[in-house]
Amino acid sequence: GGLQDWCGCAEGRLALLLLLDQLPHMIHRGTAQAFAGDSRARQVLREGLAQGFDQDLPAIRRVFAYLVLEHAEDLALQDEAVARFGALRDQAPAAERALFDGYLDYAERHRQVIRRFGRFPHRNALLGRVSSPQELAFLEEPGSRF
């Protein structure tokens, strides 16, 4: 619960989101600890979105805030991620459209997995969850892991 004072400005809130979401996912990749900050990251993001903090960030920085939604095993949050990435793409200058198309595509692929399974099957073993036969078959497909 520390560092809440960072949320007093858009850049500080984004820094906290990076610390809670991106950093653990990278430095603890392959362990359950990678997801330890996810719940708090979602809370910090939701509070910030309610205040419109993301509108004070350049589009490329908003991407990192919206990744918190994309990492959630919750269909409503996945829908919101796709909507927000879609809005970023629609607002992007022509020269940056392909970049934001890529972010939107990735968000849509995450949502498809959650829509199909209700969770990310590639996390199952790390989190001590039993995979269904359908999930195991999915994990054998190319591109099934994020």
Side-chain angles (χ1 to χ4, degrees):
L3 306 177
Q4 195 62 31
D5 57 317
W6 289 15
C7 294
C9 67
E11 295 292 338
R13 186 176 295 272
L14 178 61
L16 183 55
L17 290 172
L18 291 169
L19 189 63
L20 292 168
D21 182 69
Q22 289 294 304
L23 190 61
H25 285 203
M26 291 181 202
I27 66 173
H28 297 295
R29 188 175 302 277
T31 72
Q33 197 173 1
F35 312 107
D38 286 9
S39 178
R40 180 145 183 252
R42 285 190 300 272
Q43 177 188 357
V44 168
L45 178 67
R46 300 301 296 165
E47 290 168 357
L49 291 175
Q51 299 168 12
F53 94 101
D54 55 321
Q55 301 307 306
D56 293 333
L57 296 170
I60 194 65
R61 292 185 186 167
R62 284 189 227 169
V63 167
F64 292 96
Y66 300 161
L67 285 176
V68 172
L69 299 168
E70 189 174 297
H71 293 156
E73 291 183 316
D74 178 288
L75 186 56
L77 295 179
Q78 290 293 324
D79 288 340
E80 184 174 354
V82 168
R84 289 186 181 273
F85 280 111
L88 283 179
R89 188 265 330 262
D90 293 346
Q91 297 165 6
E96 297 177 358
R97 181 66 56 102
L99 175 66
F100 287 94
D101 276 339
Y103 294 134
L104 176 57
D105 176 66
Y106 214 58
E108 289 171 339
R109 290 191 290 140
H110 277 74
R111 180 173 65 177
Q112 288 171 358
V113 173
I114 296 301
R115 185 178 287 139
R116 183 173 171 189
F117 299 110
R119 61 189 185 174
F120 293 117
H122 63 278
R123 294 183 184 177
N124 288 350
L126 298 175
L127 297 176
R129 303 186 304 210
V130 176
S131 295
S132 70
Q134 295 82 6
E135 289 173 324
L136 292 171
F138 170 74
L139 291 173
E140 295 297 321
E141 297 173 14
S144 62
R145 297 174 189 268
F146 297 106

